[in-house]
Amino acid sequence: MNIQNIIDEIEKVDANIYDRISPRRKAMKNFFNIGSKVALSAVPLALGSMFNKAYGQTTGTIVDVLQFALTLEYLESDFYDTGLKSAGLIPSGAPMGAITTICQHEKAHVKFLQDTITSLGTTPVTKPSFDFTAKGTFPTVFSNYDTFLAVAQAFEDTGVRAYKGQAGNLKGNAGVLTAALNIHSVEARHASHIRQMRKAQGADVKPWITLNNSGIGAVVNNVYAGEETTMQAMLEITNINGQAISANAASEAFDEPLTKDQVLQIVTPFLA
């Protein structure tokens, strides 16, 4: 059985495998066209490495993961709610409509996680107090629209990588895992749209992450730690299947998860 046969079998079980591993289909096509250049004996190890990235790679209970996710959703929900209540911050029209919609999404995520945790017989974690200036790092976060959007990007990108990093811990409950993955993709849409809004303001940003460049500043570098990798499943993507691929494109083609400890390092400055 060759690599493509194995992938065909996997697709029968999970038709969205390409999307889970990478949104950059060309890079994935090159990966799966390696053919005889990779020994068949190495296939299980290579695929296992990819699945660790696709479905998460940390440990913990389902409730622990949900409480962790709820804290992040509290952060995002309160951030957007405070922004909407800050007079003169968000321009009227499309920007106000977009932020209002994103805020409503985050509130829905909070309610879902609270109800799910309660249904599992546990009390949802209490919402902490936040300091969205990050101890004075962003003093104008609710008076300067550009700063507000930059911090929003950091939060959304953190959420995307955090859900990805914890998905594997939810495999014991298919319903909760499905819902978490549904939230994960919405957070990715938020991140992309916030980038479009920043670009409309003149910021030099793209819809995806290139290397570990935040486009915001060193203060949020932890949000993008590890995104510069060009190695996937023990293969160097910049020269995969003999095709030259730039380091920028190789890093953009794959998104890396964040561990719980990494997320806590990012969020801690925003806790009052």
Short mmCIF file of all heavy atoms in Angstrom, two decimals, residues 48-77:
data_model
loop_
_atom_site.label_atom_id
_atom_site.label_comp_id
_atom_site.label_asym_id
_atom_site.label_seq_id
_atom_site.Cartn_x
_atom_site.Cartn_y
_atom_site.Cartn_z
N GLY A 48 1.77 10.03 12.04
CA GLY A 48 1.52 10.27 13.45
C GLY A 48 1.96 11.66 13.86
O GLY A 48 1.29 12.34 14.63
N SER A 49 3.09 12.10 13.33
CA SER A 49 3.57 13.45 13.63
C SER A 49 2.59 14.50 13.13
O SER A 49 2.31 15.48 13.82
CB SER A 49 4.94 13.66 12.96
OG SER A 49 5.38 14.98 13.15
N MET A 50 2.05 14.30 11.93
CA MET A 50 1.09 15.26 11.38
C MET A 50 -0.18 15.29 12.21
O MET A 50 -0.76 16.35 12.46
CB MET A 50 0.74 14.91 9.93
CG MET A 50 1.84 15.25 8.95
SD MET A 50 1.21 15.17 7.27
CE MET A 50 0.67 13.50 7.20
N PHE A 51 -0.66 14.10 12.63
CA PHE A 51 -1.91 14.06 13.38
C PHE A 51 -1.76 14.71 14.75
O PHE A 51 -2.70 15.26 15.29
CB PHE A 51 -2.40 12.62 13.53
CG PHE A 51 -2.84 12.02 12.23
CD1 PHE A 51 -2.82 10.65 12.03
CD2 PHE A 51 -3.28 12.84 11.20
CE1 PHE A 51 -3.23 10.10 10.83
CE2 PHE A 51 -3.69 12.30 10.00
CZ PHE A 51 -3.67 10.92 9.80
N ASN A 52 -0.55 14.62 15.33
CA ASN A 52 -0.33 15.33 16.59
C ASN A 52 -0.53 16.82 16.41
O ASN A 52 -1.08 17.51 17.26
CB ASN A 52 1.09 15.06 17.11
CG ASN A 52 1.20 13.73 17.79
OD1 ASN A 52 0.21 13.18 18.24
ND2 ASN A 52 2.42 13.21 17.88
N LYS A 53 -0.09 17.35 15.26
CA LYS A 53 -0.28 18.76 14.98
C LYS A 53 -1.74 19.06 14.66
O LYS A 53 -2.28 20.10 15.02
CB LYS A 53 0.60 19.20 13.81
CG LYS A 53 2.08 19.26 14.13
CD LYS A 53 2.87 19.70 12.92
CE LYS A 53 4.36 19.82 13.26
NZ LYS A 53 4.61 20.89 14.24
N ALA A 54 -2.40 18.14 13.95
CA ALA A 54 -3.77 18.39 13.52
C ALA A 54 -4.77 18.31 14.64
O ALA A 54 -5.76 19.02 14.66
CB ALA A 54 -4.15 17.40 12.41
N TYR A 55 -4.52 17.43 15.61
CA TYR A 55 -5.52 17.17 16.63
C TYR A 55 -5.06 17.48 18.06
O TYR A 55 -5.73 17.15 19.01
CB TYR A 55 -5.96 15.71 16.55
CG TYR A 55 -6.69 15.39 15.27
CD1 TYR A 55 -6.03 14.75 14.23
CD2 TYR A 55 -8.02 15.76 15.10
CE1 TYR A 55 -6.70 14.47 13.05
CE2 TYR A 55 -8.68 15.48 13.92
CZ TYR A 55 -8.02 14.83 12.90
OH TYR A 55 -8.67 14.56 11.75
N GLY A 56 -3.93 18.12 18.21
CA GLY A 56 -3.50 18.53 19.54
C GLY A 56 -2.46 17.60 20.13
O GLY A 56 -2.32 16.46 19.72
N GLN A 57 -1.70 18.13 21.14
CA GLN A 57 -0.58 17.33 21.61
C GLN A 57 -0.26 17.58 23.09
O GLN A 57 0.87 17.47 23.51
CB GLN A 57 0.66 17.65 20.77
CG GLN A 57 0.94 19.13 20.65
CD GLN A 57 2.12 19.39 19.76
OE1 GLN A 57 3.00 18.56 19.58
NE2 GLN A 57 2.15 20.56 19.15
N THR A 58 -1.26 17.94 23.90
CA THR A 58 -1.02 18.11 25.32
C THR A 58 -1.93 17.17 26.10
O THR A 58 -2.76 16.47 25.54
CB THR A 58 -1.30 19.56 25.75
OG1 THR A 58 -2.69 19.86 25.47
CG2 THR A 58 -0.42 20.54 24.99
N THR A 59 -1.79 17.15 27.41
CA THR A 59 -2.58 16.25 28.24
C THR A 59 -3.51 17.05 29.14
O THR A 59 -3.31 18.21 29.42
CB THR A 59 -1.67 15.38 29.10
OG1 THR A 59 -0.88 16.21 29.94
CG2 THR A 59 -0.77 14.51 28.25
N GLY A 60 -4.54 16.40 29.64
CA GLY A 60 -5.48 17.07 30.52
C GLY A 60 -6.86 16.46 30.38
O GLY A 60 -7.15 15.74 29.44
N THR A 61 -7.76 16.75 31.33
CA THR A 61 -9.11 16.24 31.26
C THR A 61 -9.98 17.14 30.41
O THR A 61 -9.65 18.30 30.14
CB THR A 61 -9.71 16.15 32.67
OG1 THR A 61 -9.90 17.48 33.18
CG2 THR A 61 -8.81 15.38 33.61
N ILE A 62 -11.14 16.59 30.00
CA ILE A 62 -12.07 17.36 29.17
C ILE A 62 -12.53 18.62 29.90
O ILE A 62 -12.55 19.72 29.34
CB ILE A 62 -13.27 16.48 28.77
CG1 ILE A 62 -12.82 15.44 27.74
CG2 ILE A 62 -14.41 17.33 28.19
CD1 ILE A 62 -13.88 14.45 27.34
N VAL A 63 -12.87 18.47 31.17
CA VAL A 63 -13.34 19.64 31.93
C VAL A 63 -12.23 20.69 32.07
O VAL A 63 -12.48 21.90 31.93
CB VAL A 63 -13.85 19.21 33.32
CG1 VAL A 63 -14.14 20.44 34.20
CG2 VAL A 63 -15.12 18.38 33.18
N ASP A 64 -11.01 20.25 32.31
CA ASP A 64 -9.89 21.19 32.41
C ASP A 64 -9.74 22.00 31.14
O ASP A 64 -9.52 23.22 31.18
CB ASP A 64 -8.58 20.44 32.70
CG ASP A 64 -8.51 19.92 34.12
OD1 ASP A 64 -9.29 20.41 34.97
OD2 ASP A 64 -7.70 19.01 34.37
N VAL A 65 -9.85 21.33 30.00
CA VAL A 65 -9.72 22.00 28.71
C VAL A 65 -10.85 23.01 28.53
O VAL A 65 -10.63 24.14 28.07
CB VAL A 65 -9.71 20.98 27.55
CG1 VAL A 65 -9.78 21.71 26.21
CG2 VAL A 65 -8.47 20.10 27.62
N LEU A 66 -12.06 22.61 28.89
CA LEU A 66 -13.21 23.51 28.72
C LEU A 66 -13.10 24.73 29.64
O LEU A 66 -13.44 25.85 29.23
CB LEU A 66 -14.51 22.75 29.00
CG LEU A 66 -14.85 21.63 28.00
CD1 LEU A 66 -16.14 20.93 28.43
CD2 LEU A 66 -14.99 22.18 26.59
N GLN A 67 -12.62 24.53 30.86
CA GLN A 67 -12.43 25.66 31.77
C GLN A 67 -11.36 26.61 31.21
O GLN A 67 -11.49 27.85 31.28
CB GLN A 67 -12.01 25.17 33.16
CG GLN A 67 -13.01 24.28 33.87
CD GLN A 67 -14.14 25.06 34.55
OE1 GLN A 67 -14.59 26.09 34.05
NE2 GLN A 67 -14.61 24.54 35.68
N PHE A 68 -10.32 26.04 30.67
CA PHE A 68 -9.25 26.81 30.06
C PHE A 68 -9.78 27.61 28.87
O PHE A 68 -9.52 28.82 28.74
CB PHE A 68 -8.16 25.82 29.61
CG PHE A 68 -7.01 26.44 28.84
CD1 PHE A 68 -6.26 27.46 29.38
CD2 PHE A 68 -6.69 25.95 27.57
CE1 PHE A 68 -5.19 28.00 28.66
CE2 PHE A 68 -5.64 26.48 26.86
CZ PHE A 68 -4.88 27.51 27.42
N ALA A 69 -10.58 26.96 28.02
CA ALA A 69 -11.17 27.64 26.86
C ALA A 69 -12.13 28.74 27.30
O ALA A 69 -12.18 29.82 26.69
CB ALA A 69 -11.90 26.62 25.97
N LEU A 70 -12.88 28.49 28.38
CA LEU A 70 -13.82 29.48 28.88
C LEU A 70 -13.11 30.75 29.32
O LEU A 70 -13.58 31.87 29.06
CB LEU A 70 -14.63 28.89 30.03
CG LEU A 70 -15.63 29.83 30.72
CD1 LEU A 70 -16.63 30.40 29.73
CD2 LEU A 70 -16.36 29.09 31.85
N THR A 71 -11.97 30.60 29.97
CA THR A 71 -11.20 31.77 30.39
C THR A 71 -10.78 32.61 29.20
O THR A 71 -10.85 33.84 29.22
CB THR A 71 -9.97 31.34 31.21
OG1 THR A 71 -10.39 30.61 32.36
CG2 THR A 71 -9.16 32.55 31.66
N LEU A 72 -10.35 31.94 28.12
CA LEU A 72 -9.97 32.67 26.90
C LEU A 72 -11.18 33.37 26.29
O LEU A 72 -11.06 34.51 25.80
CB LEU A 72 -9.35 31.70 25.88
CG LEU A 72 -7.99 31.11 26.23
CD1 LEU A 72 -7.54 30.16 25.12
CD2 LEU A 72 -6.96 32.20 26.45
N GLU A 73 -12.32 32.71 26.31
CA GLU A 73 -13.52 33.32 25.74
C GLU A 73 -14.01 34.50 26.59
O GLU A 73 -14.51 35.49 26.07
CB GLU A 73 -14.63 32.27 25.58
CG GLU A 73 -14.32 31.17 24.59
CD GLU A 73 -14.16 31.65 23.15
OE1 GLU A 73 -14.49 32.82 22.86
OE2 GLU A 73 -13.70 30.85 22.32
N TYR A 74 -13.85 34.40 27.91
CA TYR A 74 -14.13 35.54 28.78
C TYR A 74 -13.27 36.74 28.34
O TYR A 74 -13.75 37.87 28.26
CB TYR A 74 -13.78 35.22 30.23
CG TYR A 74 -14.77 34.41 31.01
CD1 TYR A 74 -14.33 33.48 31.96
CD2 TYR A 74 -16.15 34.58 30.87
CE1 TYR A 74 -15.22 32.74 32.72
CE2 TYR A 74 -17.05 33.84 31.63
CZ TYR A 74 -16.59 32.93 32.55
OH TYR A 74 -17.47 32.19 33.31
N LEU A 75 -11.99 36.46 28.12
CA LEU A 75 -11.05 37.51 27.72
C LEU A 75 -11.50 38.21 26.44
O LEU A 75 -11.59 39.44 26.38
CB LEU A 75 -9.65 36.90 27.52
CG LEU A 75 -8.56 37.82 26.97
CD1 LEU A 75 -8.04 38.73 28.08
CD2 LEU A 75 -7.41 37.00 26.39
N GLU A 76 -11.81 37.41 25.42
CA GLU A 76 -12.19 37.99 24.14
C GLU A 76 -13.54 38.70 24.23
O GLU A 76 -13.72 39.80 23.70
CB GLU A 76 -12.24 36.88 23.08
CG GLU A 76 -10.87 36.32 22.75
CD GLU A 76 -10.93 35.22 21.71
OE1 GLU A 76 -11.79 34.33 21.83
OE2 GLU A 76 -10.13 35.26 20.77
N SER A 77 -14.50 38.08 24.89
CA SER A 77 -15.83 38.67 25.01
C SER A 77 -15.78 40.02 25.73
O SER A 77 -16.36 41.01 25.27
CB SER A 77 -16.75 37.71 25.77
OG SER A 77 -18.03 38.29 25.97
#
